[in-house]
Coordinates of all heavy atoms in Angstrom, one line a residue:
M264 N 16.6 -6.2 4.2 CA 15.2 -6.3 4.5 C 15.1 -6.4 6.1 O 14.3 -5.8 6.6 CB 14.6 -7.6 3.8 CG 13.1 -7.5 3.6 SD 12.6 -6.0 2.7 CE 10.8 -6.1 2.9
S265 N 15.9 -7.2 6.7 CA 15.8 -7.4 8.2 C 16.1 -6.1 8.8 O 15.5 -5.8 9.9 CB 16.7 -8.5 8.7 OG 18.0 -8.2 8.4
G266 N 16.9 -5.3 8.2 CA 17.2 -4.0 8.8 C 16.0 -3.1 8.8 O 15.6 -2.4 9.7
L267 N 15.3 -3.1 7.7 CA 14.0 -2.4 7.5 C 13.1 -2.8 8.7 O 12.4 -1.9 9.3 CB 13.4 -2.5 6.2 CG 11.9 -2.0 6.1 CD1 12.0 -0.5 6.0 CD2 11.3 -2.6 5.0
L268 N 12.9 -4.1 8.8 CA 11.9 -4.6 9.8 C 12.2 -4.1 11.2 O 11.4 -3.8 11.9 CB 11.9 -6.1 9.7 CG 11.2 -6.7 8.4 CD1 11.3 -8.2 8.4 CD2 9.9 -6.3 8.4
A269 N 13.5 -4.1 11.4 CA 13.9 -3.6 12.8 C 13.6 -2.2 13.0 O 13.3 -1.7 14.1 CB 15.4 -3.7 13.0
L270 N 13.6 -1.3 11.9 CA 13.2 0.1 12.0 C 11.7 0.3 12.3 O 11.4 1.4 12.7 CB 13.6 0.8 10.7 CG 15.1 1.0 10.7 CD1 15.5 1.7 9.2 CD2 15.6 1.9 11.8
L271 N 10.9 -0.6 11.7 CA 9.5 -0.4 11.9 C 9.0 -0.7 13.3 O 9.3 -1.6 13.8 CB 8.7 -1.4 10.9 CG 8.9 -1.2 9.5 CD1 8.3 -2.3 8.7 CD2 8.2 0.2 9.1
P272 N 8.3 0.3 13.8 CA 7.9 0.2 15.2 C 6.9 -1.0 15.3 O 6.2 -1.3 14.4 CB 7.3 1.5 15.5 CG 7.1 2.3 14.3 CD 8.0 1.6 13.3
V273 N 6.9 -1.7 16.4 CA 6.0 -2.7 16.6 C 4.6 -2.2 17.2 O 4.6 -1.5 18.2 CB 6.5 -3.8 17.6 CG1 5.5 -4.9 17.9 CG2 7.8 -4.3 17.1
Y274 N 3.6 -2.6 16.5 CA 2.2 -2.0 16.9 C 1.5 -3.3 17.4 O 1.6 -4.4 17.0 CB 1.5 -1.4 15.7 CG 2.0 -0.1 15.3 CD1 3.0 -0.1 14.3 CD2 1.6 1.1 15.9 CE1 3.5 1.2 14.0 CE2 2.2 2.3 15.5 CZ 3.1 2.4 14.5 OH 3.5 3.5 14.2
A275 N 0.6 -3.0 18.4 CA -0.3 -4.0 18.9 C -1.4 -4.3 18.1 O -1.9 -5.5 17.9 CB -0.8 -3.6 20.3
A276 N -2.0 -3.3 17.4 CA -3.2 -3.5 16.5 C -2.8 -4.5 15.3 O -1.7 -4.5 14.9 CB -3.7 -2.2 15.9
A277 N -3.9 -5.3 15.0 CA -3.6 -6.2 13.9 C -3.4 -5.5 12.6 O -2.6 -5.9 11.8 CB -4.8 -7.2 13.7
Q278 N -4.1 -4.5 12.3 CA -3.9 -3.7 11.1 C -3.6 -2.2 11.6 O -4.4 -1.6 12.4 CB -5.2 -3.7 10.2 CG -5.5 -5.0 9.8 CD -6.6 -4.9 8.7 OE1 -7.3 -4.0 8.8 NE2 -6.8 -6.0 7.9
D279 N -2.7 -1.6 11.0 CA -2.3 -0.2 11.5 C -2.0 0.7 10.2 O -1.1 0.5 9.5 CB -1.1 -0.3 12.3 CG -0.9 1.0 13.0 OD1 -0.8 2.0 12.4 OD2 -0.8 0.9 14.3
A280 N -3.0 1.5 10.0 CA -2.9 2.4 8.8 C -1.7 3.3 8.9 O -1.0 3.6 7.9 CB -4.2 3.3 8.8
D281 N -1.2 3.8 10.1 CA 0.0 4.6 10.1 C 1.2 3.8 9.8 O 2.0 4.3 9.1 CB 0.1 5.2 11.6 CG -0.8 6.2 12.0 OD1 -1.4 6.8 11.1 OD2 -1.2 6.4 13.1
A282 N 1.3 2.6 10.3 CA 2.4 1.7 9.8 C 2.4 1.5 8.3 O 3.4 1.5 7.6 CB 2.4 0.4 10.5
G283 N 1.2 1.4 7.8 CA 0.9 1.1 6.4 C 1.4 2.3 5.5 O 2.0 2.2 4.5
R284 N 1.2 3.5 6.1 CA 1.6 4.7 5.5 C 3.1 4.8 5.3 O 3.6 5.1 4.3 CB 1.1 5.9 6.2 CG 1.3 7.3 5.5 CD 0.6 8.2 6.3 NE 0.8 9.6 5.6 CZ 1.1 10.7 6.3 NH1 1.2 10.7 7.5 NH2 1.2 11.8 5.6
E285 N 3.8 4.4 6.5 CA 5.2 4.4 6.5 C 5.8 3.4 5.4 O 6.8 3.7 4.7 CB 5.7 4.0 7.8 CG 5.6 5.1 8.8 CD 6.2 6.4 8.4 OE1 7.4 6.5 8.0 OE2 5.5 7.5 8.5
I286 N 5.1 2.3 5.3 CA 5.6 1.3 4.3 C 5.4 1.8 2.9 O 6.2 1.7 2.1 CB 4.8 -0.1 4.6 CG1 5.1 -0.6 5.9 CG2 5.3 -1.1 3.5 CD1 4.1 -1.7 6.3
A287 N 4.1 2.4 2.7 CA 3.9 3.0 1.4 C 4.8 4.0 1.0 O 5.3 4.0 -0.1 CB 2.4 3.5 1.4
R288 N 5.2 4.9 2.0 CA 6.2 5.9 1.6 C 7.5 5.4 1.2 O 8.2 5.9 0.4 CB 6.3 6.9 2.8 CG 5.1 7.8 2.9 CD 5.3 8.5 4.3 NE 4.8 9.9 4.3 CZ 4.8 10.6 5.4 NH1 5.4 10.1 6.5 NH2 4.4 11.8 5.3
R289 N 8.0 4.3 1.9 CA 9.2 3.7 1.6 C 9.3 2.9 0.4 O 10.2 2.9 -0.4 CB 9.6 2.9 2.8 CG 10.9 3.3 3.4 CD 11.2 2.4 4.6 NE 11.4 3.3 5.8 CZ 10.9 3.1 6.9 NH1 10.1 2.0 7.1 NH2 11.2 3.9 7.9
W290 N 8.2 2.1 0.1 CA 8.3 1.1 -0.9 C 7.5 1.4 -2.1 O 7.6 0.7 -3.1 CB 7.9 -0.3 -0.3 CG 8.8 -0.7 0.8 CD1 8.7 -0.7 2.1 CD2 10.2 -1.2 0.5 NE1 9.8 -1.2 2.7 CE2 10.7 -1.6 1.8 CE3 10.9 -1.6 -0.7 CZ2 12.0 -2.1 1.8 CZ3 12.1 -2.1 -0.6 CH2 12.6 -2.4 0.7
C291 N 6.5 2.3 -2.0 CA 5.5 2.4 -3.0 C 5.6 3.7 -3.8 O 5.2 3.8 -5.0 CB 4.2 2.2 -2.6 SG 3.8 0.9 -1.4
T292 N 6.4 4.7 -3.3 CA 6.3 6.0 -3.9 C 7.1 6.0 -5.2 O 6.9 6.9 -6.0 CB 6.9 7.1 -3.0 OG1 8.1 6.5 -2.4 CG2 6.0 7.6 -1.9
A293 N 8.0 5.1 -5.4 CA 8.8 5.0 -6.6 C 7.8 5.0 -7.9 O 8.1 5.5 -8.9 CB 9.7 3.9 -6.7
C294 N 6.7 4.3 -7.7 CA 5.9 4.2 -8.8 C 4.4 4.7 -8.6 O 3.7 5.0 -9.5 CB 5.7 2.7 -9.2 SG 7.3 1.8 -9.5
H295 N 3.9 4.8 -7.4 CA 2.6 5.3 -7.1 C 2.6 6.5 -6.3 O 3.4 6.7 -5.4 CB 1.8 4.2 -6.3 CG 1.6 3.0 -7.0 ND1 0.6 2.6 -7.9 CD2 2.3 1.8 -6.8 CE1 0.7 1.4 -8.3 NE2 1.7 0.8 -7.7
V296 N 1.5 7.4 -6.5 CA 1.2 8.5 -5.5 C 0.6 7.8 -4.4 O -0.5 7.2 -4.6 CB 0.4 9.5 -6.1 CG1 -0.2 10.4 -5.1 CG2 1.1 10.3 -7.2
V297 N 1.1 8.0 -3.1 CA 0.5 7.3 -2.0 C -0.2 8.1 -1.0 O -0.8 7.7 -0.1 CB 1.6 6.4 -1.2 CG1 2.4 5.5 -2.2 CG2 2.6 7.3 -0.5
E298 N 0.0 9.5 -1.1 CA -0.6 10.4 -0.2 C -2.0 11.0 -0.7 O -2.0 11.4 -2.0 CB 0.3 11.6 0.1 CG 1.6 11.1 0.6 CD 1.7 11.0 2.1 OE1 0.6 11.2 2.7 OE2 2.7 10.6 2.7
R299 N -2.9 11.2 0.1 CA -4.1 11.8 -0.2 C -3.9 13.2 -0.8 O -4.6 13.8 -1.6 CB -5.1 11.8 0.9 CG -6.4 12.3 0.6 CD -7.2 12.8 1.8 NE -7.2 12.0 3.0 CZ -8.1 11.1 3.2 NH1 -9.1 11.0 2.3 NH2 -8.1 10.3 4.2
T300 N -2.8 13.9 -0.2 CA -2.6 15.3 -0.4 C -1.8 15.5 -1.7 O -1.5 16.7 -2.1 CB -1.9 15.9 0.8 OG1 -0.7 15.1 1.1 CG2 -2.8 16.0 2.0
A301 N -1.3 14.5 -2.3 CA -0.4 14.8 -3.5 C -1.3 15.5 -4.6 O -2.4 15.2 -4.9 CB 0.0 13.3 -4.1
T302 N -0.5 16.3 -5.2 CA -1.2 17.2 -6.1 C -0.9 16.8 -7.7 O -1.6 17.1 -8.5 CB -0.8 18.7 -6.1 OG1 0.6 18.8 -6.1 CG2 -1.3 19.3 -4.8
E303 N 0.2 16.0 -7.8 CA 0.5 15.5 -9.2 C 0.9 14.1 -9.1 O 1.5 13.6 -8.2 CB 1.5 16.4 -9.8 CG 2.7 16.8 -9.0 CD 3.5 17.7 -9.7 OE1 3.2 19.0 -9.8 OE2 4.6 17.4 -10.3
A304 N 0.6 13.4 -10.1 CA 1.0 12.0 -10.2 C 2.2 11.9 -11.2 O 2.4 12.6 -12.0 CB -0.1 11.2 -10.8
P305 N 3.0 10.9 -10.9 CA 4.1 10.6 -11.8 C 3.5 10.3 -13.2 O 2.4 9.8 -13.3 CB 4.9 9.4 -11.2 CG 3.9 8.8 -10.2 CD 3.0 9.9 -9.9
A306 N 4.2 10.5 -14.2 CA 3.7 10.4 -15.6 C 3.7 9.1 -16.1 O 3.8 8.7 -17.3 CB 4.5 11.4 -16.5
N307 N 3.6 8.0 -15.2 CA 3.7 6.7 -15.6 C 2.4 6.0 -15.7 O 2.2 4.8 -16.1 CB 4.6 5.8 -14.7 CG 4.1 5.9 -13.2 OD1 2.9 6.3 -12.9 ND2 4.8 5.4 -12.3
G308 N 1.3 6.7 -15.4 CA -0.1 6.3 -15.6 C -0.6 5.2 -14.6 O -1.7 4.7 -14.8
L309 N 0.2 4.9 -13.7 CA -0.2 4.0 -12.6 C -1.2 4.6 -11.7 O -1.1 5.8 -11.4 CB 1.0 3.5 -11.8 CG 2.0 2.6 -12.6 CD1 3.1 2.2 -11.8 CD2 1.3 1.3 -13.1
P310 N -2.0 3.8 -11.1 CA -3.2 4.4 -10.3 C -2.6 4.9 -9.0 O -1.6 4.4 -8.4 CB -4.0 3.2 -10.0 CG -3.2 2.0 -10.3 CD -2.3 2.4 -11.3
T311 N -3.1 6.1 -8.5 CA -2.7 6.6 -7.2 C -3.4 5.9 -6.1 O -4.4 5.3 -6.3 CB -3.0 8.1 -7.1 OG1 -4.4 8.2 -7.1 CG2 -2.5 9.0 -8.3
F312 N -2.9 5.9 -4.9 CA -3.5 5.2 -3.8 C -4.9 5.8 -3.4 O -5.9 5.0 -3.3 CB -2.6 5.1 -2.6 CG -1.6 4.1 -2.7 CD1 -1.3 3.5 -3.9 CD2 -0.8 3.8 -1.6 CE1 -0.2 2.6 -4.0 CE2 0.2 2.8 -1.7 CZ 0.5 2.2 -2.9
P313 N -5.1 7.1 -3.5 CA -6.5 7.7 -3.3 C -7.4 7.2 -4.3 O -8.6 6.9 -4.1 CB -6.2 9.1 -3.3 CG -4.8 9.4 -2.9 CD -4.0 8.2 -3.5
A314 N -6.9 7.1 -5.6 CA -7.8 6.6 -6.7 C -8.2 5.2 -6.5 O -9.3 4.8 -6.7 CB -7.1 6.8 -8.1
I315 N -7.2 4.4 -6.0 CA -7.5 3.0 -5.8 C -8.5 2.9 -4.7 O -9.5 2.1 -4.7 CB -6.2 2.2 -5.3 CG1 -5.3 2.1 -6.6 CG2 -6.5 0.8 -4.8 CD1 -3.9 1.6 -6.3
A316 N -8.3 3.7 -3.6 CA -9.2 3.6 -2.4 C -10.6 4.1 -2.8 O -11.5 3.6 -2.2 CB -8.6 4.5 -1.3
A317 N -10.7 4.9 -3.8 CA -12.1 5.5 -4.1 C -12.9 4.5 -4.9 O -14.1 4.7 -5.0 CB -11.9 6.7 -5.0
R318 N -12.4 3.3 -5.2 CA -13.2 2.3 -5.9 C -14.0 1.6 -4.9 O -13.6 0.8 -4.1 CB -12.3 1.3 -6.6 CG -11.7 1.8 -7.9 CD -11.1 0.7 -8.7 NE -9.8 1.1 -9.1 CZ -8.8 0.3 -9.1 NH1 -8.9 -1.0 -8.8 NH2 -7.5 0.7 -9.5
V319 N -15.3 2.0 -5.0 CA -16.2 1.4 -3.9 C -16.3 -0.1 -3.9 O -16.6 -0.7 -2.8 CB -17.6 2.0 -4.1 CG1 -17.6 3.4 -3.6 CG2 -18.1 1.9 -5.5
D320 N -16.1 -0.8 -5.1 CA -16.2 -2.2 -5.1 C -15.1 -3.0 -4.7 O -15.0 -4.2 -4.8 CB -16.7 -2.6 -6.5 CG -15.8 -2.1 -7.6 OD1 -15.0 -1.1 -7.3 OD2 -15.7 -2.8 -8.6
L321 N -13.9 -2.3 -4.4 CA -12.7 -2.9 -4.0 C -12.7 -3.6 -2.7 O -13.1 -2.9 -1.7 CB -11.5 -1.9 -4.1 CG -10.2 -2.4 -4.1 CD1 -9.8 -3.0 -5.5 CD2 -9.1 -1.3 -3.8
S322 N -12.4 -4.9 -2.6 CA -12.3 -5.6 -1.4 C -10.9 -5.7 -0.9 O -9.9 -5.6 -1.7 CB -12.9 -7.0 -1.4 OG -12.0 -7.9 -2.2
S323 N -10.7 -6.0 0.4 CA -9.3 -6.2 0.9 C -8.7 -7.4 0.3 O -7.4 -7.4 0.0 CB -9.3 -6.3 2.4 OG -10.2 -7.3 2.9
D324 N -9.5 -8.5 -0.1 CA -8.9 -9.5 -0.8 C -8.3 -9.2 -2.2 O -7.3 -9.7 -2.5 CB -9.9 -10.7 -1.0 CG -10.1 -11.4 0.3 OD1 -9.2 -11.3 1.2 OD2 -11.1 -12.2 0.4
Q325 N -9.1 -8.4 -2.8 CA -8.6 -7.9 -4.1 C -7.3 -7.0 -4.1 O -6.3 -7.2 -4.9 CB -9.7 -7.1 -4.9 CG -10.8 -7.9 -5.4 CD -12.0 -7.0 -5.9 OE1 -12.4 -6.2 -5.2 NE2 -12.4 -7.2 -7.1
L326 N -7.2 -6.2 -3.0 CA -6.1 -5.4 -2.8 C -4.9 -6.2 -2.5 O -3.7 -6.0 -3.0 CB -6.3 -4.5 -1.6 CG -6.5 -2.9 -1.8 CD1 -6.6 -2.3 -0.6 CD2 -5.5 -2.5 -2.8
R327 N -5.1 -7.3 -1.7 CA -4.0 -8.1 -1.3 C -3.5 -9.0 -2.5 O -2.3 -9.0 -2.7 CB -4.5 -9.3 -0.3 CG -3.4 -10.0 0.3 CD -3.9 -11.1 1.3 NE -4.6 -10.5 2.4 CZ -4.1 -9.8 3.4 NH1 -2.9 -9.8 3.5 NH2 -4.9 -9.4 4.4
A328 N -4.4 -9.3 -3.3 CA -3.9 -10.0 -4.7 C -3.2 -9.0 -5.5 O -2.2 -9.3 -6.1 CB -5.2 -10.5 -5.4
A329 N -3.7 -7.7 -5.6 CA -3.0 -6.7 -6.4 C -1.5 -6.4 -6.0 O -0.7 -6.1 -6.7 CB -3.8 -5.4 -6.4
I330 N -1.3 -6.5 -4.6 CA 0.0 -6.2 -4.2 C 0.9 -7.5 -4.0 O 2.0 -7.5 -3.5 CB 0.1 -5.4 -2.8 CG1 -0.6 -6.2 -1.7 CG2 -0.6 -4.1 -3.0 CD1 -0.5 -5.5 -0.4
N331 N 0.4 -8.5 -4.6 CA 1.1 -9.9 -4.4 C 1.6 -10.1 -5.8 O 0.9 -10.2 -6.8 CB 0.0 -10.9 -4.0 CG 0.7 -12.2 -3.5 OD1 1.5 -12.7 -4.3 ND2 0.4 -12.7 -2.4
P332 N 3.0 -10.3 -6.0 CA 3.6 -10.4 -7.3 C 3.1 -11.6 -8.1 O 3.3 -11.6 -9.3 CB 5.1 -10.6 -6.9 CG 5.1 -11.0 -5.5 CD 3.9 -10.4 -4.8
Q333 N 2.5 -12.6 -7.4 CA 2.0 -13.7 -8.2 C 0.8 -13.3 -9.1 O 0.4 -14.1 -10.0 CB 1.5 -14.9 -7.3 CG 2.7 -15.8 -6.9 CD 3.1 -15.6 -5.5 OE1 2.3 -15.4 -4.6 NE2 4.4 -15.5 -5.3
H334 N 0.2 -12.2 -8.7 CA -1.1 -11.9 -9.3 C -1.0 -10.5 -10.2 O -2.0 -10.1 -10.6 CB -2.2 -11.7 -8.4 CG -2.5 -13.1 -7.7 ND1 -3.3 -14.0 -8.2 CD2 -2.1 -13.5 -6.5 CE1 -3.3 -15.0 -7.4 NE2 -2.6 -14.8 -6.3
S335 N 0.1 -9.9 -10.3 CA 0.2 -8.7 -11.0 C 1.5 -8.4 -11.5 O 2.5 -9.3 -11.4 CB -0.2 -7.5 -10.1 OG 0.9 -7.2 -9.2
R336 N 1.7 -7.4 -12.2 CA 3.0 -7.0 -12.8 C 3.9 -6.3 -11.8 O 5.0 -5.8 -12.2 CB 2.7 -6.2 -14.1 CG 2.2 -6.9 -15.2 CD 2.0 -6.0 -16.4 NE 1.1 -5.0 -16.4 CZ 1.4 -3.7 -16.5 NH1 2.6 -3.3 -16.7 NH2 0.5 -2.8 -16.4
M337 N 3.5 -6.2 -10.6 CA 4.3 -5.5 -9.6 C 5.5 -6.2 -9.3 O 5.5 -7.5 -9.4 CB 3.4 -5.3 -8.3 CG 2.3 -4.4 -8.6 SD 2.2 -3.0 -7.6 CE 2.6 -3.7 -6.0
P338 N 6.5 -5.6 -8.9 CA 7.9 -6.2 -8.5 C 7.6 -6.9 -7.2 O 6.6 -6.5 -6.5 CB 8.8 -5.1 -8.3 CG 8.0 -3.9 -8.0 CD 6.7 -4.1 -8.8
D339 N 8.3 -8.0 -7.0 CA 8.2 -8.7 -5.6 C 8.9 -7.9 -4.6 O 10.1 -7.8 -4.4 CB 8.9 -10.1 -5.8 CG 8.6 -10.9 -4.5 OD1 8.0 -10.4 -3.6 OD2 9.0 -12.1 -4.6
L340 N 8.0 -7.3 -3.7 CA 8.6 -6.5 -2.6 C 8.8 -7.3 -1.3 O 9.2 -6.7 -0.3 CB 7.7 -5.3 -2.3 CG 7.6 -4.4 -3.6 CD1 6.4 -3.4 -3.4 CD2 8.8 -3.6 -3.8
A341 N 8.4 -8.6 -1.4 CA 8.6 -9.5 -0.2 C 8.0 -8.9 1.0 O 8.6 -8.9 2.0 CB 10.1 -9.7 0.0
L342 N 6.8 -8.5 0.9 CA 6.1 -7.9 2.0 C 5.6 -9.0 2.9 O 5.0 -10.0 2.4 CB 5.0 -7.0 1.5 CG 5.3 -5.8 0.7 CD1 4.1 -5.2 0.0 CD2 5.9 -4.7 1.6
S343 N 5.6 -8.9 4.2 CA 5.1 -9.9 5.1 C 3.6 -9.8 5.1 O 3.0 -8.7 4.7 CB 5.7 -9.7 6.5 OG 5.1 -8.4 7.0
K344 N 3.0 -10.7 5.6 CA 1.4 -10.6 5.7 C 1.1 -9.5 6.5 O 0.1 -8.7 6.2 CB 1.0 -11.9 6.4 CG -0.5 -11.9 7.0 CD -1.4 -12.7 6.2 CE -2.9 -12.8 6.7 NZ -3.3 -11.7 7.4
R345 N 1.8 -9.2 7.6 CA 1.6 -8.1 8.5 C 1.8 -6.7 7.7 O 0.9 -5.8 7.8 CB 2.5 -8.1 9.7 CG 2.4 -7.0 10.6 CD 1.0 -6.9 11.0 NE 0.8 -5.6 11.7 CZ 1.1 -5.4 12.9 NH1 1.6 -6.3 13.6 NH2 0.8 -4.2 13.5
Q346 N 2.7 -6.7 6.9 CA 3.0 -5.4 6.1 C 1.9 -5.2 5.2 O 1.4 -4.0 4.9 CB 4.3 -5.4 5.5 CG 5.5 -5.3 6.4 CD 6.9 -5.4 5.7 OE1 7.0 -6.4 4.9 NE2 7.9 -4.6 6.0
Q347 N 1.4 -6.3 4.5 CA 0.2 -6.2 3.6 C -1.0 -5.7 4.3 O -1.7 -4.9 3.8 CB 0.0 -7.6 2.9 CG 1.1 -8.1 2.0 CD 0.9 -9.5 1.5 OE1 -0.1 -10.0 1.4 NE2 2.0 -10.1 1.0
D348 N -1.2 -6.3 5.5 CA -2.4 -5.9 6.3 C -2.3 -4.3 6.5 O -3.4 -3.7 6.5 CB -2.5 -6.6 7.6 CG -2.9 -8.1 7.4 OD1 -3.5 -8.4 6.3 OD2 -2.7 -8.9 8.4
D349 N -1.2 -3.9 6.9 CA -1.1 -2.5 7.3 C -1.3 -1.6 6.1 O -1.9 -0.6 6.1 CB 0.3 -2.2 7.9 CG 0.5 -2.8 9.2 OD1 -0.5 -3.2 9.9 OD2 1.6 -2.8 9.7
L350 N -0.7 -2.1 4.9 CA -0.9 -1.3 3.7 C -2.3 -1.2 3.3 O -2.8 -0.2 2.8 CB -0.1 -1.9 2.6 CG 1.4 -1.6 2.5 CD1 2.2 -2.6 1.5 CD2 1.6 -0.2 2.0
I351 N -3.0 -2.3 3.4 CA -4.4 -2.4 3.1 C -5.3 -1.4 4.0 O -6.1 -0.7 3.6 CB -5.0 -3.8 3.0 CG1 -4.3 -4.6 1.9 CG2 -6.6 -3.9 3.0 CD1 -4.5 -6.2 2.2
A352 N -4.8 -1.5 5.3 CA -5.6 -0.6 6.2 C -5.3 0.9 5.9 O -6.2 1.7 5.9 CB -5.1 -0.8 7.7
Y353 N -4.0 1.2 5.4 CA -3.8 2.6 5.0 C -4.5 3.0 3.7 O -5.0 4.1 3.7 CB -2.2 2.7 4.8 CG -1.8 4.1 4.1 CD1 -2.2 5.3 4.9 CD2 -1.4 4.1 2.9 CE1 -1.9 6.4 4.3 CE2 -1.1 5.4 2.3 CZ -1.4 6.5 3.0 OH -1.1 7.8 2.5
I354 N -4.6 2.1 2.7 CA -5.2 2.5 1.5 C -6.7 2.7 1.8 O -7.2 3.7 1.4 CB -4.9 1.3 0.4 CG1 -3.4 1.3 0.0 CG2 -5.8 1.6 -0.8 CD1 -3.1 0.2 -0.9
F355 N -7.3 1.8 2.6 CA -8.7 2.0 2.9 C -8.9 3.3 3.7 O -10.0 4.0 3.6 CB -9.3 0.8 3.6 CG -9.7 -0.3 2.6 CD1 -9.2 -1.6 2.8 CD2 -10.4 0.1 1.5 CE1 -9.6 -2.6 1.9 CE2 -10.8 -1.0 0.5 CZ -10.4 -2.3 0.8
S356 N -7.9 3.8 4.5 CA -8.1 4.9 5.2 C -8.0 6.2 4.4 O -8.5 7.2 4.8 CB -6.9 5.0 6.2 OG -5.7 5.6 5.6
L357 N -7.7 6.0 3.1 CA -7.7 7.2 2.2 C -9.1 7.4 1.6 O -9.3 8.4 0.9 CB -6.7 6.9 1.0 CG -5.3 6.9 1.5 CD1 -4.4 6.4 0.2 CD2 -4.7 8.2 2.0
R358 N -9.9 6.4 1.8 CA -11.3 6.5 1.3 C -11.9 7.8 1.9 O -11.8 8.0 3.2 CB -12.1 5.3 1.7 CG -12.3 4.4 0.6 CD -13.2 3.2 0.9 NE -13.1 2.4 -0.2 CZ -13.5 1.1 -0.3 NH1 -14.1 0.6 0.8 NH2 -13.3 0.4 -1.4
A359 N -12.6 8.5 1.0 CA -13.4 9.8 1.6 C -14.4 9.3 2.5 O -15.1 8.3 2.2 CB -14.0 10.5 0.3
R360 N -14.6 10.0 3.7 CA -15.6 9.6 4.5 C -16.7 10.7 4.6 O -16.3 11.9 4.3 CB -14.9 9.5 5.9 CG -14.4 8.1 6.1 CD -13.5 8.2 7.3 NE -12.1 8.6 6.9 CZ -11.0 8.2 7.6 NH1 -11.1 7.4 8.6 NH2 -9.9 8.6 7.2
Ligands
LIG9 C1 8.4 -0.7 -9.6 C2 7.1 0.0 -9.6 C3 6.1 -0.3 -8.6 C4 6.3 -0.2 -7.2 C5 7.5 0.1 -6.4 C6 4.9 -0.6 -6.7 N1 4.1 -0.8 -7.7 FE1 2.0 -1.1 -7.5 N2 1.9 -1.3 -9.5 C7 2.9 -1.2 -10.4 C8 2.4 -1.6 -11.7 C9 3.2 -1.7 -13.0 C10 1.0 -1.9 -11.5 C11 0.1 -2.4 -12.6 C12 0.0 -3.8 -12.3 C13 -0.8 -4.6 -13.3 O1 -1.5 -4.0 -14.1 O2 -0.7 -5.9 -13.2 C14 0.7 -1.6 -10.1 C15 -0.6 -1.9 -9.6 C16 -0.8 -1.7 -8.2 C17 -2.2 -2.0 -7.6 C18 -3.4 -2.3 -8.3 C19 -4.0 -1.1 -9.0 C20 -5.3 -1.6 -9.9 O3 -5.6 -0.8 -10.8 O4 -5.9 -2.5 -9.6 C21 -2.0 -1.8 -6.3 C22 -3.2 -1.8 -5.3 C23 -0.6 -1.4 -6.0 N3 0.0 -1.5 -7.2 C24 -0.2 -1.2 -4.8 C25 1.2 -1.0 -4.6 C26 1.8 -0.9 -3.2 C27 0.9 -1.1 -1.9 C28 3.1 -0.8 -3.4 C29 4.2 -0.7 -2.2 C30 4.2 -1.8 -1.3 C31 3.3 -0.8 -4.7 N4 2.2 -0.9 -5.4 C32 4.6 -0.5 -5.3 C33 4.2 -0.8 -10.1 C34 4.7 -0.7 -8.8

């Protein structure tokens, strides 16, 4: 895990959608479609990130809870608060504008 953290570039912004995208590609693609451009979903029935982002009533607090193992069936990915912030920024960046 510390090796991964060393590979992640350090960003000044509090939330960084680009960093979140990198984290999503590394850690979330095993189970979720994480790209807006993806044309097919894995046959596991799990929500894609664009589909999650499209839910208008979704708040960042709900997203944080969803990626937190205490609150869902997701595996414990041991994400830092900063990585969670970046992931949330990335998922919201997938919202249609
Ligand atoms: C090992 C498979 C697996 C991986 C890897 C995984 N997830 Fe999930 N994810 C799940 C499952 C299973 C659910 C359904 C959880 C539930 O219903 O409690 C889920 C649900 C979610 C939800 C909630 C969707 C909803 O319908 O409310 C979000 C958000 C989410 N995952 C984000 C992520 C993010 C971000 C990552 C990468 C850091 C990730 N997941 C990696 C299996 C995974």
Side-chain angles (χ1 to χ4, degrees):
M264 207 51 191
S265 57
L267 167 77
L268 290 176
L270 286 175
L271 288 173
V273 177
Y274 288 93
Q278 296 187 342
D279 194 306
D281 287 338
R284 184 173 186 226
E285 288 306 309
I286 298 166
R288 281 170 148 178
R289 234 177 239 132
W290 294 103
C291 317
T292 44
C294 303
H295 298 277
V296 168
V297 308
E298 301 275 358
R299 191 205 302 274
T300 52
T302 51
E303 47 188 73
N307 59 14
L309 291 178
T311 68
F312 284 12
I315 292 168
R318 278 190 235 148
V319 287
D320 58 334
L321 191 72
S322 71
S323 53
D324 281 347
Q325 288 171 307
L326 256 188
R327 191 180 303 282
I330 61 179
N331 195 307
Q333 274 105 45
H334 296 276
S335 76
R336 291 186 288 122
M337 295 239 311
D339 187 354
L340 297 166
L342 298 165
S343 69
K344 164 110 177 26
R345 176 56 195 277
Q346 289 172 313
Q347 294 177 20
D348 287 344
D349 290 345
L350 276 166
I351 291 164
Y353 171 62
I354 292 173
F355 279 131
S356 81
L357 297 172
R358 260 187 186 164
R360 273 162 282 207

